[in-house]
Amino acid sequence: MVVGHGMGNSVHLREDSVEPSPPAKGVLRVYGMKFCPYVHRLKLVLAAKGVKHETVNINLKSKPKWYFAKNPAGKVPTIECDGIVIYESDITSEYADAVYPGRKLATTEPLKLAKEKMLLSHWAQTVSNGFYRYGYSKDDEVKATAVEVAKTGFVKLAAYLESNGSTFICGSQPGLTDYMLYPHLERMNAILPVKLSQYPPLKAYFDKMQGDPAVQACRFSDELHCEFVNKALAGSKEAYDIGPVEK
Ligand SMILES: N[C@@H](CCC(=O)N[C@@H](CS)C(=O)NCC(=O)O)C(=O)O
C-alpha cells in the first residue's frame, strides 16, 4: 500500500463500480480525482485545517451512474457528510473553512476580500484562455495565443503580489484565496512553455508556497503532471491511476 498522498491515492471508480455505502457518522468524504486542480483546491483547505476525511476517486472518463445522484454535472469535487452533499470547489472549500475547526482561512476584511475575489475572477480567465486552451488545442497558432494570454495573466498576478505587501495573497500565511489560485499555477508552471523566473514576484510567491505544509502534502512532481495531461488528452481511462495508487 502506498501511504496517503493528500490528493487521495485510491483507484478511480468506473462506470461498473458498486456505489460505496454512505460515509460513517461524522466522517467527511470527498469525491475527487487525483490530478484535478479543483479537487486540489479543497484538499489544500482540508490539509491546512487538518481536517481528517476519506476520499472516493471517480474515473471521469468512465463515470459511475450512481455518482450523478450526488453531483448532477458529474464533476468533482463533491463532499458528503451525514447526508449533506455539496459540490463546486469554491463552495465546498468555503463551507469546510466555515464548519471545521483549525485556522480560519477566509479573508474577513471586506475590501481585501473584494480585491481577492476580483483577482480570482481575472485568474479564472487566464486559466480558461491560457491554460486550458493551450492544453486542448492542437493548433499551433491557438497555442501560441494561449501562451500570450498566460503571460499577460502572470504579469497581472505579479503586479498584484508586488503591491499586496504580504508574503501570501491572504497575509503572512496562505489563506483561502491562495489555495483557490495555487492549483492551476502549479500546473501552468509544469506544463506551459513559460518560465516563472521571468516574473520575479510570482516566482518568489511560488517558491514560498512550496514551503507550506498543505502544498507539500498535495504536491505532485512536474513530471507526473505532464504525464497525466498527456495520457488524459490521449483519452486514456488509465490516466487517473498513474503515480501513487493504493490497490
Ligand atoms: N466549477 C467546478 C469545476 C470542476 C471540474 O471541472 N472538474 C473536472 C475535473 S478537473 C471534472 O469534474 N470534469 C469532468 C467533466 O467535466 O465531466 C468546480 O469549481 O468544482
Side-chain angles (χ1 to χ4, degrees), residues 29-223:
R29 176 181 292 168
V30 175
Y31 295 91
M33 187 280 271
K34 227 166 58 181
F35 296 100
C36 171
Y38 299 98
V39 174
H40 193 179
R41 286 174 152 186
L42 171 65
K43 290 287 191 160
L44 287 170
V45 166
L46 297 178
K49 296 178 75 74
V51 179
K52 287 206 171 68
H53 60 279
E54 60 183 33
T55 303
V56 171
N57 279 327
I58 304 294
N59 191 310
L60 299 174
K61 291 198 196 303
S62 174
K63 292 178 185 172
K65 289 212 174 36
W66 54 259
Y67 184 59
F68 289 89
K70 317 264 179 212
N71 182 332
K75 296 189 182 209
V76 288
T78 300
I79 57 175
E80 181 174 10
C81 185
D82 293 334
I84 293 167
V85 175
I86 303 172
Y87 45 82
E88 289 291 323
S89 58
D90 49 352
I91 299 172
T92 52
S93 296
E94 280 172 28
Y95 176 81
D97 186 36
V99 302
Y100 289 102
R103 77 182 172 92
K104 287 290 170 217
L105 301 174
T107 296
T108 50
E109 202 277 297
L111 179 58
K112 184 163 167 47
L113 181 60
K115 287 183 179 169
E116 290 177 12
K117 288 195 165 172
M118 288 190 286
L119 175 72
L120 284 180
S121 165
H122 291 140
W123 185 241
Q125 293 302 311
T126 303
V127 164
S128 60
N129 298 330
F131 179 64
Y132 286 113
R133 197 166 288 176
Y134 176 86
Y136 285 120
S137 178
K138 291 192 166 55
D139 182 312
D140 284 346
E141 225 169 280
V142 174
K143 275 189 180 298
T145 307
V147 170
E148 290 312 309
V149 170
K151 285 182 177 173
T152 306
F154 287 170
V155 169
K156 281 191 188 149
L157 178 54
Y160 186 100
L161 292 164
E162 198 162 33
S163 67
N164 189 34
S166 59
T167 309
F168 300 102
I169 297 167
C170 296
S172 57
Q173 281 185 291
L176 196 66
T177 303
D178 294 281
Y179 292 137
M180 296 303 102
L181 185 140
Y182 175 78
H184 284 102
L185 184 59
E186 181 176 302
R187 286 158 181 78
M188 285 158 103
N189 175 59
I191 290 156
L192 294 184
V194 185
K195 294 255 171 296
L196 288 193
S197 53
Q198 290 167 348
Y199 313 88
L202 183 51
K203 173 78 167 81
Y205 172 71
F206 187 81
D207 290 346
K208 284 277 182 200
M209 285 296 277
Q210 304 313 300
D212 178 59
V215 168
Q216 290 170 356
C218 299
R219 186 74 161 98
F220 284 128
S221 68
D222 292 351
E223 293 71 27

